[in-house]
Amino acid sequence: MEHLRSVGDEVCVLDPAVDIRDRQALSLACSSFMEGQVDVIFHLAAMSHVGDSFGSSAEVFKVNVMGSVNLLEVARAQFPRAK
């Protein structure tokens, strides 16, 4: 984020309290961004610790897979030109 801002990009950051597994909450949170003005989306919301997947595989799936699907669906609806 700091690098993007340092090169002159405007950066909007999703509130970390938003649950990416909740498509409606995600959609509402994204609606505060300038609709149609989002050019690029960097998706970093994930459970990345491999050890977590051993004991919580269903939760890791919900966050990493279904959360990504939710983000893609919201992006397609609200920011159709974003990459």
Side-chain angles (χ1 to χ4, degrees):
M1 179 177 71
E2 291 176 17
H3 171 72
L4 293 172
R5 285 186 174 149
S6 75
V7 296
D9 290 331
E10 182 178 345
V11 178
C12 299
V13 179
L14 191 63
D15 183 341
V18 175
D19 187 347
I20 197 168
R21 298 167 299 175
D22 182 343
R23 188 178 299 184
Q24 288 181 325
L26 184 60
S27 180
L28 181 62
C30 288
S31 68
S32 66
F33 299 150
M34 296 174 60
E35 191 163 330
Q37 299 299 314
V38 174
D39 299 317
V40 179
I41 297 171
F42 291 94
H43 170 29
L44 302 175
M47 294 178 71
S48 59
H49 189 277
V50 176
D52 291 342
S53 67
F54 300 141
S56 305
S57 56
E59 189 63 23
V60 170
F61 178 83
K62 289 176 190 174
V63 172
N64 292 359
V65 177
M66 295 311 300
S68 295
V69 168
N70 289 339
L71 180 61
L72 290 169
E73 291 294 330
V74 168
R76 180 173 61 165
Q78 294 186 23
F79 316 115
R81 295 184 182 169
K83 296 179 181 180

